[in-house]
Each structure stands twice: as structure tokens, then as C-alpha cells.
Amino acid sequence: MSVCAKVSKHLRVAGLAFGLLTGPVLGAPERVVSINLCTDQLAMMLAAPGQLVSVSMMAQEVESSAMAIEARAWPTNSGGAEAVFLLRPDLVLAGQYSTRAAVDMLRRLGVRVVQFAPEASFQDARDNIRKMGQVLGQQAKAEEMIARFNRDLARMTAPGKRPVRAALYAANGYSAGAGTLATEIMAAAGMINIAPSAGLSAGGTLPLERLVLAQPDVVIRAARYDGTSRAEEILDHPAFRALPTDADAVTGPEWVCGTPKLVHAVAAMVHVRNKIVANQ
Amino acid sequence: MRYRALLAFLAAIVAGLMVVSLLVGPAGVGPVAGIAALVDGKGALGLVMREIRLPRALLGAMVGGALGVSGAAMQGFLRNPLAEPGLIGISSSSALGAVIALQSGFAAVSVLALPGAALAGAVVAVALILMLAGPRGPSLTLILAGVAISALAGSFTSLVLNLSPNPFAVTEIVFWMLGSLSDRSMQHVAMAAPFMAVGALLLAPLGRGLDALTLGEDAAEAMGVRLTRLRLMLVLGTAALVGSAVAVAGAIGFVGLVVPHILRPFVGARPSRLLAASALGGAAMLLSADIAVRIIAPERDLKLGVLTAIIGAPFFLHLIWRTRGQIA
């Protein structure tokens, strides 16, 4: 009995200490470090001047980051626990699934870490903007951003014409299925994503054969990276090049994260759709 | 003629497997509709049959044939059943050549640049092997040299792909080590075909010389075989075949080991006859493996080398067991 009581007392003390270190901080954080591409962008948009100390290295990469230019104003971090800890953050912003080891380590070191789930829909994007506003103490700015995002989207809603049948196609035959940002971007632009009905596999890949036989009105390609890879050779395959496409039907960094930049992706697809409808 | 019957039998198997290969795929096309679309080439189905499935079936036969005949030729020359392009490091050196050409941008210069670079890698490896193993190619030296060359070429391949600015490149180490025929096109057929033709032409006339070599070098020279010329043609022919195969399909192991091993008893252990038989046998083995990967895991791009190793490694162990007297 007494042993048990002792242990539970120790546990309570430990729990108390843990609670003090990781519990909600009163007042806005002053040294925020972001280690995830999507939290980088939301933080850059919402943080007060000087509040955000560092963003991840990916934030400056033009292929993946919709704010690569803006991100040059911040020092970058590699996302490693040691490097981040040395920045003496009072808040670390991380993704839900990546950099698990770093997040666990930082929490053990007593740093407050808030994780953001990847956005699979426009509603997820609104939720994450709101959450970012709360953790940074910028609620009003976040609400204003959501309202503007909703207004911009509403303005873009396509007129009720026949939807264009589209599919996204990238390296290794990767395509986007139901419940993804890409599908919602297409839908907002008056396109139907045909990948799920064409037999998109659980791995997110669509065999080229099935894409060809599904006969989409337009194929939206992924922008290519520097250097060569066998994975991207599929975008040069004669059977792929025979499919209808459009110079502007290309995904970009705006498709990656749930930020108000999604509006740019929708606008580009509306432009593509209008061209296709005009040619039909 | 038992030999002709064997060749006809193997050719029939290859033809049958090519038809099966054309009819297997994720899209589930009916056999009649598929063949009709292949012939007329119209519509989306015609595109699938002619541009996606036909090159895959052709490359399966070409790559398998190239690996089979290379194995038979190397084994005949070194008089050692363990000599196989994959095991002795020729395939991995070709892969290194191909990867360097792709990542340096040299491959974009010309259609022939990629297989050419793979060929250069293969020549270096074959020359090194022949230099290290000597004319008789004792098993121990051969295998140890192969292990060293494979390891070195493999790590350089990984290094080059790790340093690539392309985020997908690093995941392709697996492709270069294990090989795959997914999403290949007629461009790859056109890329490999000239090199494979040259390789086949170089190896075809070697049959008589390899037969004579079974009696020993002195006897072969007494019979009028010019050994230096034979060696040069063998090096270049094998390098052209393996290099072009690796450039389009990655390094696929054990085909050149298993196929000659199975067929040797049927040709009376004559190297000249083993060449043609191994070409057909290799084609049949690779086509079967490529059909199997599409049936086992249709959308996972299971690598061909996984399957050929599962079949081939036990053969290899068996051969080591049988030749262990010589190795020691």
C-alpha cells in the first residue's frame, strides 16, 4: 500500500511539473519557431512582427512553398530537435505526422509544441487558420483572413455549366483521390475529379492505362522538379502526352497547404476550365 | 534434331508469354478487344495496347534475352557456371553509368547517350573482372571481385542519387538495384534495340570458339581460335547487351545464372548451342517474372529483381555447394 501511495505521489508531482511546462501559456508566445511547410505559411501570414523567429527550410523552396519569396525574411531551421531547441522557442509549430522524433524530443525538453493536421478540405484550412490565430494570439486577424477567403471563393464559384472531367497526374503515376485538397480545388473550379471512379488505388497512384481509358477532358500535371528522375519520366510517356492537357493545367505550391493561397489555385483552374468549355 | 526442337519449343513459350503479357494489366481489357485494338491502334484502347503494353512485352523479351545470352557467354568463356552479369558486378556498374548520365544531363544529349553510358559502365566492370579473375576465372576470385565491384558501384549509385536536386531520385535507388518494366515506352525500345542488336551480332559468331575453349586454351588456339579477338568481342558484346538492358530496366539479377543452368543439360553442355537457347530461355523467364509482378501486386510496382532473386538465389547456393571443391 505504502509503496503504491509513494509511487502515485511521485507520479502526481511529475504530472504537475509536466503540466506547468506544457500547459497553456498565458499571453501570446514571443519566440515562435515553425518546422513544417504549412505551419510556416500560416505563421508568416498571421504572426505579429518579431513574433515568428524561424521557419523551416522548405518554406524558401519555390517548388513547394507558396511563400518562398516572403520566407527569405526569416532564418530557416532544419527541423532537428537540437537546432530548434537552441533557438530558445516558447512555441514550436509542427505538422501532425512528420518529424515525430523531433516533436517528442522537444516536448521532453519542456518546449510547448502545437501540431497541425494536414488539410484535406477547405474546411480544414479554415479550422487551421483559426487554430493558428488562437495559438499566436491573433484571433481577430485569423477571422478576418477566413472571411476574406470565403468571399474570394464565393466570387469564383463557377457558373452552372457542364462540369469538365479532370484528373491530376504526377510523378510515379500519383494522382489525387476523394477527400483531398486537390479534389476540392477542382470542384470549386467546376471540374469533376475522375481519378476515384477510374480506380485510384489506396496508394494514391493511378495506372497510366486506367487514366488513358478514362478519357479525361483535361489532365492537370504536377510541376516538375530540377534534375531527372525515373519517377517523372511517366510525364513524357507517349500515351500520357496523347491525353488532352493545357499549358496552364499545372499544379503548384498553392495546392500543397490549406492557406488562403488556395484561391489562386482555384482561379487558375477556373481559367483552364473556361478555355476547355470555350473549345468544346 | 533435338536442338532445333528445343529452340522451337522455347520460341513457342516466348511467343505465348508475350501474348499473355499484352493481355495483363491494371485496366482489365478483354483478350479479343485487346488484340483488335493492338492491330488497328484506334482510340484510347489502341493507345493503351500500342504505347503501354506492347513496349512492356517487347522489353521483357529483349531484356530477358540479353541477360540470358550474356550469362551463357560469360560462363562459356570463363568455364565457370557462377559467372553472371548481376553477380559479378556488371549490372551494377551499368546502373552507375546510367545514373551518372541521367543526373549529369548527358542522357538528354542524344537518345543513345543513356545506353551508351550504361555500356561504358559495363565495359569497365567486364574488363576489371577479366583482369582480376584471369583467363580461367576461378570461382573464388570471380565472386569476390564481383562482390567488391557491386558494392562499390552500388554505393556510388546511391551517392549520385542522394545528391540529386530531384526529390524523387533518391527513391529510385531501389529501381536501379532491382529493376522494373513499369511505364516503359517505345522510346525505351528504340533506345535499347540498336545496342542489343550489336551485342547479339558480336556474341553470335563466338559459339565455335567457346566450344573449342571447353578443351582448354592451348587446344583452342591449336584449332585456330584467336583468343584475344574472342575476348574482345565477348567483352564488348556482353557490355552492349547488359548495358542497354540495365539502361531501360535497371539491374535484374540471376536471369543469366538460372537460365543457362537449366538449359545446359538439354544442349549437351555445348556453349555454342547454349547461347541461342539461353537467349530464348532468358526472354521466357523475364516475361514470366514481369507477368507475375503484375498479377501478385498490380499497383505496387513490385520490382522484377525481387522475383528473379527468389528463384535464382537457391540455384546460386546449389551451384556453390556443387563447386565448393574448386572454391576451396
Side-chain angles (χ1 to χ4, degrees):
Chain A
M1 270 310 272
S2 71
V3 175
C4 279
K6 245 183 195 166
V7 169
S8 79
K9 192 182 158 203
H10 277 298
L11 282 177
R12 261 205 309 277
V13 172
L16 198 64
F18 195 68
L20 282 176
L21 287 168
T22 61
V25 177
L26 293 174
E30 284 163 10
R31 290 186 62 81
V32 179
V33 172
S34 168
I35 60 171
N36 170 278
L37 175 65
C38 294
T39 57
D40 287 341
Q41 296 179 44
L42 287 179
M44 285 189 276
M45 290 175 186
L46 290 172
Q51 193 180 19
L52 183 63
V53 177
S54 169
V55 293
S56 79
M57 288 196 293
M58 275 188 89
Q60 294 186 346
E61 286 172 12
V62 283
E63 295 94 346
S64 351
S65 170
M67 296 176 70
I69 309 292
E70 295 94 319
R72 288 188 198 156
W74 280 273
T76 59
N77 67 75
S78 62
E82 188 177 329
V84 172
F85 187 72
L86 291 177
L87 291 168
R88 292 176 290 110
D90 55 3
L91 173 66
V92 170
L93 305 169
Q96 187 82 61
Y97 300 111
S98 52
T99 60
R100 222 18 227 270
V103 168
D104 290 347
M105 171 72 82
L106 286 168
R107 286 194 169 142
R108 276 201 299 278
L109 293 171
V111 178
R112 181 177 176 230
V113 182
V114 175
Q115 288 177 290
F116 286 73
E119 302 89 358
S121 66
F122 289 179
Q123 190 51 47
D124 288 352
R126 294 183 192 102
D127 293 345
N128 274 354
I129 295 171
R130 187 165 291 129
K131 181 175 171 184
M132 185 63 79
Q134 279 160 6
V135 297
L136 294 180
Q138 304 286 343
Q139 289 90 337
K141 215 167 162 184
E143 291 307 324
E144 189 189 317
M145 183 180 279
I146 293 169
R148 196 170 56 240
F149 176 61
N150 289 339
R151 276 200 307 277
D152 289 346
L153 271 182
R155 203 178 306 136
M156 217 122 27
T157 303
K161 288 183 197 157
R162 184 182 78 84
V164 165
R165 300 172 70 253
L168 184 118
Y169 215 60
N172 277 330
Y174 174 81
S175 185
T180 58
L181 269 183
T183 300
E184 199 156 351
I185 291 170
M186 291 187 225
M191 294 175 172
I192 289 181
N193 183 7
I194 59 162
S197 58
L200 184 78
S201 79
T205 57
L206 179 62
L208 186 55
E209 294 189 11
R210 294 220 186 117
L211 176 71
V212 170
L213 291 179
Q215 296 183 284
D217 295 324
V218 64
V219 176
I220 303 163
R221 291 157 297 142
R224 299 186 73 150
Y225 289 91
D226 286 343
T228 44
S229 68
R230 187 180 177 277
E232 289 175 322
E233 270 182 31
I234 197 168
L235 304 176
D236 295 324
H237 197 290
F240 180 78
R241 282 191 304 198
L243 292 169
T245 183
D246 185 282
D248 298 321
V250 182
T251 67
E254 295 88 5
W255 291 60
V256 179
C257 292
T259 73
K261 301 264 179 193
L262 286 168
V263 173
H264 299 306
V266 175
M269 290 307 110
V270 168
H271 176 60
V272 169
R273 177 187 175 277
N274 289 343
K275 271 199 276 184
I276 290 163
V277 171
N279 288 337
Q280 272 169 352
Chain B
M1 247 333 244
R2 200 167 153 228
Y3 174 57
R4 287 214 184 128
L6 176 72
L7 290 189
F9 174 68
L10 288 172
I13 291 181
V14 171
L17 286 169
M18 280 197 70
V19 174
V20 176
S21 177
L22 283 168
L23 296 175
V24 173
V29 180
V32 179
I35 300 297
L38 179 67
V39 175
D40 73 15
K42 281 184 194 132
L45 194 54
L47 199 62
V48 166
M49 294 305 296
R50 282 198 176 177
E51 297 292 344
I52 299 176
R53 296 210 185 161
L54 183 60
R56 185 164 188 162
L58 286 174
L59 282 175
M62 286 161 61
V63 170
L67 294 175
V69 77
S70 306
M74 290 292 289
Q75 288 160 26
F77 183 73
L78 291 168
R79 282 154 288 159
N80 187 325
L82 298 177
E84 196 264 344
L87 289 173
I88 59 180
I90 305 177
S91 299
S92 42
S93 304
S94 302
L96 176 60
V99 165
I100 290 174
L102 280 171
Q103 296 301 330
S104 65
F106 175 61
V109 173
S110 145
V111 197
L112 301 179
L114 175 64
L119 184 146
V123 168
V124 171
V126 186
L128 262 177
I129 287 286
L130 292 186
M131 207 175 76
L132 288 165
R136 284 250 23 184
S139 295
L140 193 62
T141 327
L142 198 65
I143 298 304
L144 290 180
V147 167
I149 293 173
S150 289
L152 191 66
S155 34
F156 274 121
T157 302
S158 303
L159 178 68
V160 172
L161 291 173
N162 269 308
L163 294 178
S164 167
N166 193 301
F168 296 108
V170 70
T171 62
E172 278 152 29
I173 295 171
V174 181
F175 163 77
W176 291 109
M177 287 195 309
L178 291 170
S180 165
L181 284 173
S182 68
D183 302 322
R184 306 281 80 183
S185 67
M186 280 299 179
Q187 294 161 341
H188 297 103
V189 176
M191 187 189 280
F195 285 88
M196 289 195 176
V198 169
L201 285 176
L202 282 168
L203 291 189
L206 298 189
R208 204 183 62 84
L210 293 178
D211 280 350
L213 256 185
T214 53
L215 304 171
E217 271 143 56
D218 297 340
E221 283 201 304
M223 287 163 76
V225 175
R226 300 206 328 254
L227 280 180
T228 13
R229 190 160 162 275
L230 177 80
R231 182 188 280 243
L232 185 69
M233 284 172 78
L234 182 104
V235 169
L236 291 178
T238 313
L241 286 167
V242 177
S244 50
V246 170
V248 295
I252 302 165
F254 293 106
V255 176
L257 181 89
V258 173
V259 170
H261 182 62
I262 294 177
L263 294 174
R264 198 167 282 119
F266 295 101
V267 295
R270 275 177 64 180
S272 56
R273 292 184 164 185
L274 194 56
L275 288 180
S278 294
L280 289 169
M285 179 175 171
L286 205 71
L287 281 168
S288 313
D290 191 42
I291 291 166
V293 295
R294 278 179 283 173
I295 291 172
I296 297 169
E299 280 149 33
R300 295 274 159 186
D301 189 20
L302 181 62
K303 300 290 178 275
L304 283 170
V306 175
L307 232 69
T308 56
I310 291 172
I311 301 166
F315 272 96
F316 183 54
L317 294 175
H318 170 70
L319 280 170
I320 290 182
W321 175 257
R322 234 185 43 190
T323 56
R324 70 193 188 285
Q326 304 167 22
I327 289 177

